[in-house]
Amino acid sequence: MFPATWSRLSRMALSSRGRRTLSLFSSSAPSNWSKAVADAEKIVGYPTSFMSLRCLLSDELSNVAIQVKRLVGTQHPLLHTARDFVFDSRNNLPTRGLIVLLLSKAAGPSHTASDLLAQDTVSGIHTSQRNLAEITELIHTAFLVHRGIVDLKEWTVSDGPLKDMEFGNKIAVLSGDFLLANACTGLAQLNNTKVVELISSAIGDVVQGIYNENTSNTEENSLDVKAWEEHTFLSHGALLAKSCQAAMELAQHDKEAQSMAYTFGKHLSMGHKLNSDLLPFVKSSAGESATFSFSAAPVVFHRQIVGQERWSQQLQQVKTRRNELDYSKLLAAVKSEKGVSTAMDLCCYHGNKALEAIQAFPSSEARSGLENIASAITKF
């Protein structure tokens, strides 16, 4: 009942035209972030790109991969998702699982942990914590695949044959459901009620957050900074924050350690989302075309600073004769005010809060790896 219910809700929230906003730990990550992650992978002992390999290379998904070939030549977003997994693994790093592993290693077992728990610990990480890291990655991957569901009401001939687009939707539904069902099965096998409750609630948070994000990604939305932070935490921060807390629960740590782990995951997620949102504004040159979402932090902050009336005027000024937005001009308009600097300040704030939270754990190579990752999100 649980996997079916949440997968149905996630598909409802994620169904769209196919415009994908930058997600947490996306390909926009700068090189210093990639270096911090690569160094961290060495600490946990193996590349986390192999974390969910058992599931991704199963017979079921191998058959799905063959069927995805039918989408070649169309604009179905599932094709781009599959391509990114295969050809862009260097940038689309499975960092949620990596952070769960690093935090598990940094915290170590609780002083009150049983001898049985210590027996199942390898390189400072308990088997259940490694399983949790894999489950976290599977849940995230399931949502990415479900993002490949297209609203066929907005279908045009240029997208490709309608029957192929319908087929792509079916594949996105089935493969996403398969991943989510596997994650839920693994979650039940952890035999920890609190962990099940935490991760279950995180799935619900992601569904709600992405639904809110999709409804606010329009020219006319009046999202303020507080609402943006709430929506962003649900869609981009809840899964990592609650997975970090769950990792501490599995090692029998007390509530204080769990709270610090949750805080670290929350602020790291928020900081990186801000970093991702800022990249089109800090990396683009004058007149250069850039793609960004109306729910991106600099746009939301800019709109609140200039007011709704001025924002509407700016939108009209940057429209072409075809009544389409010139994103390069809109980007320049946003950069001309304080929305970008406000987003940068908030990014640094969350990065510093993540660094503060991780100090609660003993000094170690694993903690240093987490500190490097938290520092990297404040670099542009």
Side-chain angles (χ1 to χ4, degrees):
M1 179 69 177
F2 172 77
T5 301
W6 280 121
S7 64
R8 184 172 65 253
L9 289 174
S10 69
R11 294 196 301 272
M12 290 170 63
L14 295 171
S15 179
S16 67
R17 176 84 170 92
R19 176 180 292 178
R20 295 171 57 186
T21 57
L22 292 171
S23 62
L24 179 61
F25 310 143
S26 68
S27 59
S28 64
S31 58
N32 54 354
W33 167 267
S34 299
K35 183 180 184 303
V37 170
D39 291 342
E41 286 186 326
K42 298 174 184 176
I43 298 173
V44 298
Y46 58 89
T48 48
S49 54
F50 295 108
M51 193 174 297
S52 56
L53 211 57
R54 287 178 298 159
C55 184
L56 293 177
L57 293 184
S58 65
D59 290 340
E60 291 89 343
L61 283 191
S62 295
N63 291 332
V64 169
I66 294 173
Q67 298 299 324
V68 168
K69 289 182 179 180
R70 283 181 53 179
L71 302 179
V72 173
T74 72
Q75 296 299 314
H76 202 289
L78 180 60
L79 189 63
H80 301 295
T81 301
R83 181 198 61 197
D84 288 345
F85 278 129
V86 176
F87 296 111
D88 201 23
S89 59
R90 178 177 62 85
N91 288 320
N92 288 291
L93 297 165
T95 39
R96 290 165 190 76
L98 172 62
I99 289 167
V100 170
L101 293 177
L102 273 177
L103 189 60
S104 300
K105 190 176 180 69
S110 168
H111 297 300
T112 60
S114 63
D115 294 336
L116 186 61
L117 186 69
Q119 292 174 8
D120 290 332
T121 300
V122 179
S123 299
I125 305 172
H126 191 262
T127 302
S128 62
Q129 292 173 317
R130 291 186 183 275
N131 292 339
L132 173 65
E134 181 174 338
I135 289 166
T136 301
E137 279 304 325
L138 286 177
I139 292 171
H140 171 63
T141 305
F143 277 102
L144 282 183
V145 173
H146 276 162
R147 278 183 181 269
I149 301 174
V150 178
D151 184 356
L152 295 177
K153 292 179 181 178
E154 300 181 14
W155 169 82
T156 62
V157 176
S158 62
D159 292 329
L162 180 59
K163 64 177 182 179
D164 287 345
M165 300 298 283
E166 291 174 339
F167 177 77
N169 277 0
K170 293 177 182 178
I171 293 295
V173 168
L174 293 174
S175 52
D177 285 0
F178 173 77
L179 293 172
L180 192 57
N182 272 267
C184 293
T185 299
L187 189 60
Q189 292 172 347
L190 293 176
N191 295 318
N192 187 304
T193 304
K194 183 174 181 180
V195 171
V196 171
E197 291 175 353
L198 280 170
I199 305 303
S200 300
S201 65
I203 294 174
D205 289 341
V206 175
V207 172
Q208 182 63 51
I210 297 179
Y211 174 80
N212 293 339
E213 187 179 88
N214 286 345
T215 56
S216 64
N217 189 25
T218 64
E219 300 174 18
E220 297 80 14
N221 85 81
S222 56
L223 195 68
D224 59 23
V225 175
K226 183 178 179 181
W228 179 90
E229 287 196 291
E230 292 174 353
H231 293 181
T232 300
F233 171 71
L234 291 174
S235 59
H236 294 271
L239 180 58
L240 180 60
K242 293 184 178 181
S243 292
C244 288
Q245 181 181 351
M248 298 300 98
E249 165 66 22
L250 289 172
Q252 300 178 8
H253 282 284
D254 58 23
K255 291 183 178 180
E256 183 179 357
Q258 291 184 33
S259 177
M260 288 296 100
Y262 176 93
T263 301
F264 173 77
K266 171 186 175 180
H267 287 292
L268 184 70
S269 304
M270 295 293 290
H272 197 284
K273 178 58 169 66
L274 283 157
N275 185 293
S276 298
D277 282 359
L278 279 161
L279 284 179
F281 299 89
V282 299
K283 296 294 185 182
S284 60
S285 304
E288 181 181 343
S289 178
T291 301
F292 55 89
S293 166
F294 282 104
S295 61
V299 180
V300 173
F301 299 167
H302 169 79
R303 188 169 57 245
Q304 186 166 27
I305 290 169
V306 302
Q308 187 60 41
E309 183 178 350
R310 173 90 183 279
W311 169 248
S312 299
Q313 292 174 354
Q314 289 180 333
L315 288 175
Q316 291 301 319
Q317 290 169 0
V318 300
K319 284 187 176 180
T320 65
R321 293 180 178 178
R322 291 176 150 185
N323 204 35
E324 296 175 349
L325 287 174
D326 185 330
Y327 277 87
S328 61
K329 291 183 179 179
L330 183 58
L331 182 142
V334 173
K335 291 172 68 173
S336 67
E337 299 286 348
K338 295 182 179 180
V340 173
S341 61
T342 302
M344 292 177 74
D345 291 342
L346 187 58
C347 179
C348 291
Y349 166 80
H350 284 295
N352 290 333
K353 282 294 184 180
L355 285 170
E356 286 179 18
I358 202 62
Q359 301 308 310
F361 300 98
S363 179
S364 64
E365 189 180 23
R367 195 185 84 174
S368 295
L370 291 169
E371 289 171 344
N372 291 338
I373 290 175
S375 296
I377 66 175
T378 63
K379 305 296 190 299
F380 302 99

